[in-house]
Amino acid sequence: MLYLYHKHAGKIELSLEGDAHRYIFKVRRHKVDDTLHLRNLEDGLLHRYLITFIDKRSVILALQESRVLEVEAKHSLHIGWCVIDPKSVEKVLPSLNEMGVEKITFIYCKRSQKSFKLDFKRLEKILLNSSQQSGRSQMMKLGMAKDLQHFLADYPESKMLNFSENNFIDSTTVDTIVIGCEGGFHEDEVALFSQDNIVGFDTPLVLKSESAVCAVASKLIL
């Protein structure tokens, strides 16, 4: 873990209890006079603290230094992701966060199962743990769209990841891209995009939705 998240990081003195205390005391086995780095994931600052007191219930930290240290991807990428099984989303979300995806907006596309409901609090907890491990200074944003038409009203320059014989994703500048669910896009949804805004991979293989999301992020960001 490269830093510890605390919503009040930056204050002159902090007290850690509960899970944060258990991590410091039992997992990392820190002691008095050890140094810890904390972030609040809002100001872009990395805060260095000194442990001044520790017992079986709490840890007291004293601020030593705060410095600007932005850790983010070189390219901004927003993914519109047609809703799939939440369990599949949870498996790849840490990887997408570590690669630097700026935002994911989940869309109820025509072939998305409406019974799938995303637990955003659970997803945010996954993102928080991933950010602490990867060092990312701003956590990925999450959003929701009623359908693809509403999404395109907000992001009209979006690309669609679909089958394309000559417009490959690695040769195209993309800021926002829509990725389908299992079964792909309905023909009415494909019709919402011009051919110039439909991109694909140079492969005859068919990818699962979660595989396609990871492939897109690695192609466009890393």
Side-chain angles (χ1 to χ4, degrees), residues 15-25 56-59:
S15 176
L16 304 181
E17 299 176 346
D19 290 341
H21 170 265
R22 282 191 290 274
Y23 173 75
I24 297 302
F25 184 67
K56 293 183 178 180
R57 293 188 176 181
S58 64
V59 177

Side-chain angles (χ1 to χ4, degrees), residues 137-192:
S137 57
Q138 295 288 338
M139 201 162 66
M140 182 197 299
K141 301 179 182 68
L142 299 176
M144 197 80 211
K146 179 181 178 182
D147 54 35
L148 189 51
Q149 285 182 310
H150 281 81
F151 180 83
L152 290 176
D154 292 330
Y155 306 99
E157 301 302 318
S158 300
K159 306 289 186 180
M160 168 185 273
L161 180 71
N162 205 15
F163 299 105
S164 178
E165 295 182 357
N166 50 26
N167 198 15
F168 299 128
I169 193 169
D170 56 351
S171 62
T172 306
T173 300
V174 178
D175 295 318
T176 302
I177 187 166
V178 180
I179 298 172
C181 54
E182 303 304 328
F185 294 101
H186 188 276
E187 60 183 13
D188 291 344
E189 294 173 324
V190 177
L192 296 173

Side-chain angles (χ1 to χ4, degrees), residues 15-221:
S15 176
L16 304 181
E17 299 176 346
D19 290 341
H21 170 265
R22 282 191 290 274
Y23 173 75
I24 297 302
F25 184 67
K26 294 185 177 180
V27 178
R28 296 298 296 271
R29 298 187 181 279
H30 281 294
K31 57 186 183 299
V32 172
D33 291 334
D34 281 355
T35 296
L36 295 177
H37 290 94
L38 280 76
R39 285 188 184 272
N40 55 37
L41 294 177
E42 293 182 359
D43 57 15
L45 298 175
L46 184 67
H47 306 282
R48 179 167 59 85
Y49 282 87
L50 187 72
I51 298 177
T52 59
F53 173 82
I54 188 168
D55 63 13
K56 293 183 178 180
R57 293 188 176 181
S58 64
V59 177
I60 304 299
L61 307 177
L63 182 64
Q64 303 295 297
E65 177 191 38
S66 296
R67 62 189 177 98
V68 176
L69 183 61
E70 297 280 3
V71 180
E72 58 188 7
K74 294 180 180 179
H75 176 68
S76 172
L77 179 63
H78 175 199
I79 294 175
W81 193 359
C82 296
V83 173
I84 62 172
D85 188 336
K87 292 181 181 178
S88 297
V89 173
E90 292 173 9
K91 286 180 181 178
V92 300
L93 193 62
S95 297
L96 297 172
N97 190 60
E98 290 162 16
M99 283 187 272
V101 174
E102 181 176 344
K103 181 177 181 179
I104 295 178
T105 299
F106 295 98
I107 310 166
Y108 276 108
C109 296
K110 290 183 181 294
R111 288 177 175 160
S112 295
Q113 293 189 36
K114 299 301 186 288
S115 61
F116 287 151
K117 304 297 181 184
L118 296 164
D119 183 344
F120 278 82
K121 286 187 177 180
R122 180 175 172 82
L123 297 182
E124 288 170 358
K125 185 175 182 180
I126 292 172
L127 288 174
L128 178 58
N129 290 332
S130 168
S131 296
Q132 292 177 125
Q133 293 287 347
S134 65
R136 181 169 173 161
S137 57
Q138 295 288 338
M139 201 162 66
M140 182 197 299
K141 301 179 182 68
L142 299 176
M144 197 80 211
K146 179 181 178 182
D147 54 35
L148 189 51
Q149 285 182 310
H150 281 81
F151 180 83
L152 290 176
D154 292 330
Y155 306 99
E157 301 302 318
S158 300
K159 306 289 186 180
M160 168 185 273
L161 180 71
N162 205 15
F163 299 105
S164 178
E165 295 182 357
N166 50 26
N167 198 15
F168 299 128
I169 193 169
D170 56 351
S171 62
T172 306
T173 300
V174 178
D175 295 318
T176 302
I177 187 166
V178 180
I179 298 172
C181 54
E182 303 304 328
F185 294 101
H186 188 276
E187 60 183 13
D188 291 344
E189 294 173 324
V190 177
L192 296 173
F193 294 80
S194 68
Q195 285 300 312
D196 289 340
N197 282 334
I198 297 177
V199 297
F201 288 112
D202 187 9
T203 176
L205 301 175
V206 177
L207 302 179
K208 286 185 176 180
S209 180
E210 59 268 35
S211 300
V213 169
C214 290
V216 165
S218 63
K219 280 278 190 181
L220 296 176
I221 299 177

